[in-house]
Amino acid sequence: MRIDIITIFPEIFESPFGYSIIKRAIDKGIVAVQLHNLRDYSQNKHRNVDDYPFGGGAGMVMMIDPIARCIEKLKSERDYDEVIYTSPDGEMLNQSVSNQISTLNNFIILCGHYKGIDERIREHFITREISIGNYVLSGGELAAVVLCDSIIRLIPGVIGDETSALSDSFQDGLLAPPVYTRPSDYHGWRVPDVLLSGNDAEIQKWRLEQSIKRTTERRPEMLND
Ligand code: SAH
């Protein structure tokens, strides 16, 4: 998978992409992330990428030209499956959206700033708009990190234990059951006996029951889907 990220703050990605599962996926060559500094595509001598909104009002708007120049350059080099814009009014990110995107070969993520991007970019270049929740961030970078993390861990070969991502919450329409590790007794706080029983059938049964209980209590709407 190849992910091209267009941003005015490429440095924001260094830490989240430099550790743990995402770093391993990049090191193994399973995913390549290319960062593009939008200011490199500005033709303005101050490398501006924003301007005042038509009609007045607070805040600045990201201009068409640098974004169009960057997207067109990338598209001239290869075909893209999607051009994604992170936006609070976009389709809400959930596990099913992450599963879908994890099957793509490549895509662009455009990170917005200020009051957002000129609407004509959305009309003419963007193929999918993703929100990570009903709240407003100051920029699309953190949303892009969340999106990439949720996708990359689903690509086969990224997580060592192939079944691990499949047993996470949401993957089978249920929340994950509680998990425990040693010690089995911490000052009287005991791990459920069944997990120590060695009886795999009983353990799987208990885990399913716990998943259903947790989902019923915390996300009852998931059971109606
Ligand atoms: N004025 C816009 C918000 C702009 S916030 C509005 O009210 O809808 C600046 C940028 O942050 C956006 O362009 C977008 O790329 C990003 N952003 C903010 N909140 C987001 C969210 N919940 N999900 C994804 N991206 C978000």
Side-chain angles (χ1 to χ4, degrees):
M1 176 185 281
R2 177 186 165 113
I3 308 174
D4 289 271
I5 300 178
I6 304 174
T7 169
I8 55 171
F9 292 119
E11 300 81 9
I12 291 181
F13 295 90
E14 281 168 17
S15 170
F17 288 178
Y19 294 90
S20 184
I21 290 174
I22 303 193
K23 178 180 188 324
R24 276 210 307 275
I26 293 171
D27 290 348
K28 281 192 201 167
I30 298 173
V31 61
V33 180
Q34 298 292 328
L35 299 168
H36 305 278
N37 190 334
L38 187 60
R39 294 195 189 282
D40 295 342
Y41 295 84
S42 167
Q43 290 203 307
N44 179 301
K45 75 170 186 287
H46 301 294
R47 292 168 41 97
N48 284 352
V49 294
D50 58 312
D51 207 337
Y52 293 97
F54 279 127
M60 302 297 276
V61 175
M62 289 176 85
M63 293 186 284
I64 300 183
D65 193 60
I67 295 174
R69 206 180 285 282
C70 183
I71 293 178
E72 271 161 1
K73 173 173 177 282
L74 291 174
K75 282 180 156 183
S76 74
E77 292 164 355
R78 68 195 64 75
D79 289 331
Y80 283 94
D81 294 331
E82 299 272 18
V83 182
I84 296 172
Y85 173 50
T86 55
S87 185
D89 59 7
E91 171 187 10
M92 195 70 81
L93 182 64
N94 60 27
Q95 194 66 31
S96 135
V97 172
S98 296
N99 283 339
Q100 280 169 28
I101 299 178
S102 76
T103 65
L104 302 181
N105 280 326
N106 62 17
F107 54 92
I108 293 171
I109 306 178
L110 171 62
C111 304
H113 264 274
Y114 317 114
K115 293 301 281 180
I117 60 174
D118 189 304
E119 187 68 16
R120 291 166 289 181
I121 292 284
R122 301 175 72 166
E123 287 164 8
H124 297 287
F125 287 109
I126 302 300
T127 60
R128 194 159 188 173
E129 303 188 326
I130 306 274
S131 166
I132 63 160
N134 285 342
Y135 40 82
V136 176
L137 303 165
S138 13
E141 285 74 15
L142 295 180
V145 167
V146 169
L147 179 62
C148 289
D149 188 309
S150 74
I151 289 163
I152 291 172
R153 63 197 305 288
L154 294 170
I155 304 172
V158 169
I159 294 187
D161 176 357
E162 280 293 328
T163 61
S164 176
L166 295 178
S167 63
D168 283 334
S169 288
F170 308 111
Q171 212 46 278
D172 51 7
L174 293 173
L175 298 179
V179 290
Y180 300 86
T181 186
R182 286 186 291 183
S184 60
D185 187 332
Y186 182 77
H187 305 315
W189 301 345
R190 286 186 46 77
V191 167
D193 287 337
V194 58
L195 296 179
L196 311 174
S197 69
N199 183 334
D200 195 54
E202 282 300 313
I203 292 170
Q204 296 314 325
K205 182 167 163 270
W206 180 86
R207 286 190 170 147
L208 179 61
E209 284 164 6
Q210 291 295 316
S211 277
I212 294 170
K213 178 167 179 279
R214 199 153 261 205
T215 312
T216 310
E217 287 167 1
R218 300 180 183 212
R219 297 284 191 284
E221 72 282 1
M222 280 172 65
L223 298 170
N224 304 325
D225 285 349

